[in-house]
Amino acid sequence: MGAYYDDDRGRYGTGESYDYFWKYDEDESVRIVTSEDGLWTYAVKAEDEAGGGIELVRYNGDQTEIAVPDSVDGRPVTALSGTFDGFYELKRVSVPEGVISIEGAFYGCEGLENVALPDSLEEMPHGLNGCRSLKDVKIPPHVRDFSWAFEGTELETIVFPKGTEDISHAFMDSAALRSAVVPGSVTNMEEAFADCEALTHVALEDGIDEIGDYAFYHCTALRELTIPKSVTKFGTLAVGFMELREYTDSRKTAYRIRGNAVIPGFRIRGTAGSQAERYAQENAIPFIPVQE
């Protein structure tokens, strides 16, 4: 089976074999199959041998605009895993209804400009990670896991759907993100927005229990955050802190870390007597009480 490219350079230009499927490398209960038309490589789990859903683990063609089929070799497609991993030239993709997971499906697809995701989708860890040309995407309503999903994209705003649980590292180091709405169902936001230096507005909905480690670390444009009373735990440098950097070149591409400090002008709004107020006091961050 060949790579996506005529020069056979392999994933990320490393020459790494396209016959390596990290998720099932040592799982003998999973059968790896290439479709009859040669376009798709897919995984069949032992419990699905009798005709259950399959997971597409590689696209073997070279088209840059693709409609993923809802079935391959007569079997329903229910998941994508690393399917287009490293396909730099990919431009447009539509994913059919019935797919519930796109784990790492478009990782590193730097040229991807448009992707249509199905309402059936439930999880997308690493789903669009590294898609540096992606500026907009319609978010399906039932996704629970967005971990690492949008790192490196050009999305400027995100409204996570009700029921979302995991947004850890979702936008870490994303330069374009400006606003975000986080529902009360979220249970993990570790490093969710770390180093999002353009982020200026965040709405945290009531119900959130914990703001995880480095969740809003070095969000230097975020000058105010209203924290709901439901928040009872704050992780390490979770809110209001920035990294002190000494840049070593004129383009500010390299730097030395000199420590941490409260972001100048940053303040917390919250309920008087809440954990948010205690966090603010402990870290010398201005606190403004709000009416419930």
Side-chain angles (χ1 to χ4, degrees):
M1 292 178 281
Y4 299 127
Y5 312 97
D6 292 337
D7 62 1
D8 295 320
R9 67 188 183 188
R11 284 187 176 91
Y12 310 111
T14 63
E16 178 183 289
S17 172
Y18 273 78
D19 292 321
Y20 171 71
F21 304 101
W22 60 270
K23 191 173 181 180
Y24 300 117
D25 186 43
E26 297 181 358
D27 192 342
E28 296 181 358
S29 69
V30 175
R31 187 164 57 95
I32 303 298
V33 183
T34 297
S35 62
E36 294 176 0
D37 61 10
L39 281 179
W40 305 95
T41 298
Y42 58 89
V44 183
K45 298 179 181 179
E47 62 267 27
D48 294 324
E49 284 286 358
I54 60 172
E55 185 173 27
L56 301 183
V57 295
R58 190 177 76 203
Y59 169 64
N60 299 312
D62 58 7
Q63 297 300 304
T64 60
E65 298 189 6
I66 300 168
V68 176
D70 58 11
S71 65
V72 171
D73 293 348
R75 293 176 175 269
V77 175
T78 57
L80 310 182
S81 177
T83 315
F84 301 98
D85 183 355
F87 190 178
Y88 302 104
E89 291 85 354
L90 187 64
K91 294 294 183 185
R92 301 172 63 89
V93 176
S94 62
V95 181
E97 289 296 332
V99 171
I100 62 174
S101 173
I102 58 166
E103 184 176 3
F106 303 99
Y107 190 93
C109 291
E110 296 182 358
L112 185 65
E113 298 173 353
N114 182 278
V115 58
L117 302 175
D119 286 348
S120 57
L121 197 65
E122 297 178 2
E123 60 177 21
M124 51 184 299
H126 293 273
L128 298 167
N129 190 310
C131 296
R132 302 188 183 281
S133 300
L134 190 65
K135 297 181 179 181
D136 186 43
V137 62
K138 182 181 178 182
I139 305 297
H142 306 299
V143 180
R144 299 187 305 273
D145 185 353
F146 288 96
S147 57
W148 300 92
F150 304 107
E151 182 187 7
T153 65
E154 289 294 306
L155 272 66
E156 294 188 0
T157 184
I158 183 71
V159 178
F160 290 105
K162 304 291 185 183
T164 298
E165 298 173 1
D166 191 344
I167 63 170
S168 58
H169 310 91
F171 280 93
M172 187 174 69
D173 198 26
S174 292
L177 189 69
R178 296 182 181 277
S179 68
V181 177
V182 181
S185 54
V186 168
T187 58
N188 185 359
M189 63 171 73
E190 181 180 348
E191 294 190 68
F193 305 102
D195 287 300
C196 290
E197 296 188 29
L199 185 64
T200 58
H201 177 75
V202 176
L204 299 177
E205 296 184 354
D206 190 54
I208 296 171
D209 175 65
E210 180 177 2
I211 299 179
D213 294 348
Y214 304 96
F216 296 97
Y217 182 66
H218 205 76
C219 294
T220 51
L222 185 65
R223 299 305 171 87
E224 182 175 290
L225 188 63
T226 299
I227 298 177
K229 187 177 181 180
S230 59
V231 174
T232 60
K233 302 174 185 177
F234 289 84
T236 302
L237 301 176
V239 174
F241 284 90
M242 62 182 289
E243 195 169 66
L244 294 176
R245 298 173 177 176
E246 179 185 335
Y247 289 95
T248 57
D249 67 333
S250 60
R251 293 186 300 169
K252 293 187 175 183
T253 57
Y255 57 85
R256 299 185 185 93
I257 300 172
R258 295 302 190 187
N260 304 291
V262 173
I263 296 170
F266 181 80
R267 59 187 186 177
I268 290 175
R269 288 181 176 270
T271 303
S274 66
Q275 186 61 38
E277 182 176 19
R278 287 189 285 275
Y279 176 87
Q281 292 173 345
E282 291 169 0
N283 294 288
I285 296 172
F287 180 82
I288 301 173
V290 297
Q291 296 293 329
E292 294 186 44

